[in-house]
Amino acid sequence: MRQILPALILPALLGAAAPLPRPARPVAPIISQAFGNEAARDRQGEASDVLRIAGIRPGMAVADIGTGGGYYVLKAAPIVGPQGRVYAQDLSATALDQVRQRVQTAGYTNVRYVQGRQTSTRLPAASVDVALMVHMYHEIEQPYLLLDRLRASLKPGGKIVIVDLDQPSEAHGMPKALLVCEVKAVGYELMGVTDLARGYVAVFRPGVRPDPASVRACRP
């Protein structure tokens, strides 16, 4: 017997299935699970600056998307504390296993592990206060689709925090103006961009979601 979908559900399903563009720029290949030397990053104060700008506080839920070696997981876990949670998210099961070992050695019990896909973080719905995307945005094959789906994983008042180098994506960076254009194209609002000792951090919050069929890829 054929099932008839309610009138209110059908448009929502059609909207969710609408295509979103691929980026009109090169996508950098994933060449390493870590960005630079962690000791050098500590000396530059990158993590402390980023977590301060992101407003990470005790009790929050933070997702480190594309965690790689787990640098930000280990920085955020003691800040959010036992009442908070950190999601270590990555495409690589091997990377997540390595992060799990580091977390266990450090003695943190507030970290959860999520293996994502290029088109979806696969984070739980309404679970995240701050989604970090550090030195990896330029490696996302379908950023418009991933960002669009990511909004469902943010709690009310949640935000995404993107860190990258202000250089072409093929050189493993992301020009500021192009990043802002791409993220705003899928309905996020820019809260601010701050320069770091190396690179920059951009903070966005969800705004009105556009009709996916109306989204056009930003040009470099």
Side-chain angles (χ1 to χ4, degrees):
M1 181 177 179
R2 184 179 179 183
Q3 183 179 10
I4 305 299
L5 291 173
L8 292 177
I9 296 178
L10 185 56
L13 292 176
L14 291 175
L20 282 162
R22 288 178 176 268
R25 57 166 173 82
V27 174
I30 300 174
I31 58 175
S32 174
Q33 293 297 340
F35 174 80
N37 179 274
E38 291 189 1
R41 296 170 80 179
D42 284 344
R43 287 193 296 272
Q44 292 173 344
E46 176 195 300
S48 59
D49 286 342
V50 170
L51 296 176
R52 173 181 51 80
I53 293 167
I56 306 300
R57 301 187 304 274
M60 277 188 165
V62 177
D64 184 19
I65 298 172
T67 187
Y71 180 69
Y72 274 84
V73 169
L74 293 170
K75 298 295 186 182
I79 297 176
V80 302
Q83 302 305 314
R85 178 163 294 181
V86 178
Y87 291 96
Q89 190 272 6
D90 204 275
L91 299 177
S92 168
T94 300
L96 291 177
D97 286 341
Q98 293 172 350
V99 175
R100 185 179 286 107
Q101 293 175 9
R102 295 187 69 182
V103 168
Q104 290 175 348
T105 299
Y108 299 129
T109 59
N110 57 352
V111 179
R112 302 295 179 269
Y113 305 89
V114 179
Q115 186 173 4
R117 294 192 290 256
Q118 277 282 359
T119 57
S120 173
T121 63
R122 303 183 74 184
L123 293 164
S127 63
V128 176
D129 293 297
V130 177
L132 298 172
M133 305 173 76
V134 182
H135 296 300
M136 54 74 67
Y137 181 88
H138 52 269
E139 298 174 346
I140 302 173
E141 292 178 1
Q142 298 189 52
Y144 299 100
L145 181 55
L146 184 139
L147 288 170
D148 184 57
R149 290 176 171 174
L150 177 58
R151 83 165 51 225
S153 297
L154 297 177
K155 294 181 181 180
K159 54 192 173 183
I160 62 173
V161 177
I162 301 176
V163 179
D164 223 318
L165 303 178
D166 191 11
Q167 60 192 37
S169 57
E170 59 266 39
H172 287 273
M174 193 68 192
K176 291 179 188 176
L178 184 56
L179 172 77
V180 171
C181 180
E182 289 191 358
V183 181
K184 290 177 69 174
V186 287
Y188 288 84
E189 299 174 354
L190 177 65
M191 299 177 68
V193 179
T194 305
D195 287 329
L196 302 172
R198 186 182 181 195
Y200 64 91
V201 54
V203 183
F204 301 85
R205 63 188 173 195
V208 177
R209 181 178 183 263
D211 177 357
S214 72
V215 177
R216 299 292 179 266
C218 300
R219 298 286 173 179

